[in-house]
Amino acid sequence: MRKIISTFCITLFAIVSFAQSADTVTLYQKKTVMIPMRDGIKLFTVILTPVHQKTALPFLITRTPYGADIPMKEDAIFSLDGAPSFAMLAKGGYIFILQDIRGKYKSEGTMQIHQPIIHLQEKNAIDESTDTYDTIDWLTKNVANNNNKAGIFGVSYPGWLALVGAIDPHPALKASSEQACMGDLFLGDDFHHNGAFRLSYGMEYSYEVEHDKTTDSNFPFPQFDLFDWYLKLGSLKNVTDKYLKKSIPTWNNFTEHPNYDASVKAHS
């Protein structure tokens, strides 16, 4: 779950070079759209298309809670040569898609960490699986010169999004590569280890992701020595009463469901 610094956006554009010195195969153009979901919410999406595309190509999608936009103007043309792994993928032939998930950064709606996949049991429900489906449906119908095929990939949280995006998939989704993603959040991954709650991670990560939809938020600790701060904290109730004030949905779930009950299992 810990945010991976080498997520698609940061890795791809931190050392990007411009078009003059680029391999023509790795020249791409940026466009952004707001893709409508079935409930009317729109998700901010970056579409990177090969400048010299000669044949219909598949989509390669990354969905993320960490910010999908890249520091380039609309319609900018740039090279992927500064990021060898993605330049290699580009030479294989892809239209790259980066998307802010529901409720984060430039997308509309609200977000809560690892919401269950519920649409298979609840009619008209939405979740990350349906958002992936609706995204692919829109892309295949609205982006020129695609071959009606898509893959999705990611590491850590984006890996989980790739995993659940493959549940009840759109017919055009042909591959999902979920890398280093979590499985059971109570028994073995991230927030709990065999039921033992990881206080600092549970508090700091849920605050980071859910405190402000437009950015990743660092909790404003009042001192440098965090080990000492946590030792003096007292019970988990103090986190809620003194600091978070019921404002972080995932933290509320941690405190309200400390055992491996049905709610915890649904989120795992």
Side-chain angles (χ1 to χ4, degrees), residues 67-236:
D69 204 3
I70 61 176
M72 292 191 175
K73 295 180 180 179
E74 189 77 358
D75 297 318
I77 294 175
F78 56 92
S79 167
L80 304 185
D81 287 345
S85 58
F86 292 104
M88 184 181 300
L89 288 171
K91 292 175 182 178
Y94 291 99
I95 301 168
F96 294 110
I97 305 296
L98 301 89
Q99 185 178 72
D100 288 332
I101 62 171
R102 178 183 294 258
K104 286 300 294 182
Y105 282 81
K106 297 182 180 180
S107 285
E108 299 174 350
T110 58
M111 181 264 190
Q112 183 177 334
I113 296 170
H114 291 126
Q115 293 203 59
I117 303 305
I118 57 176
H119 77 276
L120 296 174
Q121 289 78 38
E122 299 180 22
K123 186 178 181 180
N124 299 321
I126 55 93
D127 50 39
E128 297 296 354
S129 176
T130 63
D131 282 353
T132 305
Y133 187 107
D134 294 349
T135 295
I136 295 173
D137 194 62
W138 189 95
L139 291 169
T140 56
K141 293 175 181 177
N142 291 278
V143 176
N145 212 12
N146 77 83
N147 68 358
N148 203 43
K149 295 181 180 179
I152 185 169
F153 78 107
V155 181
S156 194
Y157 202 110
W160 179 79
L161 293 166
L163 176 66
V164 298
I167 296 174
D168 193 22
H170 190 281
L173 184 63
K174 304 301 181 182
S176 175
S177 177
E178 57 278 4
Q179 304 165 35
C181 70
M182 58 297 306
D184 192 310
L185 294 175
F186 191 85
L187 293 180
D189 290 289
D190 292 304
F191 299 124
H192 296 81
H193 281 254
N194 292 318
F197 183 52
R198 295 178 64 190
L199 170 58
S200 63
Y201 191 19
M203 173 186 159
E204 293 169 38
Y205 185 82
S206 58
Y207 183 89
E208 174 187 350
V209 176
E210 296 180 1
H211 174 68
D212 184 345
K213 71 163 287 182
T214 64
T215 187
D216 294 339
S217 302
N218 293 319
F219 183 79
F221 288 104
Q223 65 185 69
F224 180 79
D225 188 340
L226 299 190
F227 183 74
D228 179 70
W229 187 86
Y230 277 112
L231 283 178
K232 296 175 180 176
L233 176 63
S235 71
L236 298 188

Side-chain angles (χ1 to χ4, degrees), residues 184-187 191-192 194-197 236 251-268:
D184 192 310
L185 294 175
F186 191 85
L187 293 180
F191 299 124
H192 296 81
N194 292 318
F197 183 52
L236 298 188
W251 176 261
N252 297 338
N253 283 340
F254 290 151
T255 58
E256 293 166 6
H257 300 277
N259 300 313
Y260 200 42
D261 61 15
S263 176
V264 172
K265 291 177 182 179
H267 284 79
S268 296

